[in-house]
Amino acid sequence: MHPVFVYTVSRLALLAASIGVLYLLGLRQPFILLVAAFLVSGVASYVLLSKQRDAVSERFTKNQE
């Protein structure tokens, strides 16, 4: 499967999971919920998706050669 697709779908899944968890924890205001979910999913993707991010960067460097 294409690494960019896998990375993008993984990021969206982390965002959706973050929204769900934060909502269940009581964060009900939509704007604050979205901002907090973007922050949480950004940190989580930095930690959890390093292998996918490396695959994407490798794919881009191969295309530039």
Side-chain angles (χ1 to χ4, degrees):
M1 199 175 291
H2 199 278
V4 175
F5 177 74
V6 171
Y7 182 68
T8 302
V9 169
S10 300
R11 289 285 308 256
L12 290 173
L14 279 174
L15 178 62
S18 298
I19 289 172
V21 168
L22 290 172
Y23 184 83
L24 290 175
L25 289 175
L27 201 56
R28 305 278 193 232
Q29 295 178 352
F31 180 74
I32 296 173
L33 175 64
L34 285 176
V35 170
F38 273 113
L39 292 173
V40 169
S41 68
V43 171
S45 70
Y46 182 75
V47 174
L48 298 174
L49 300 178
S50 62
K51 187 169 82 169
Q52 289 83 0
R53 190 172 45 253
D54 292 341
V56 170
S57 66
E58 183 178 321
R59 174 83 178 218
F60 282 132
T61 55
K62 281 184 181 179
N63 287 341
Q64 289 181 356
E65 294 175 353

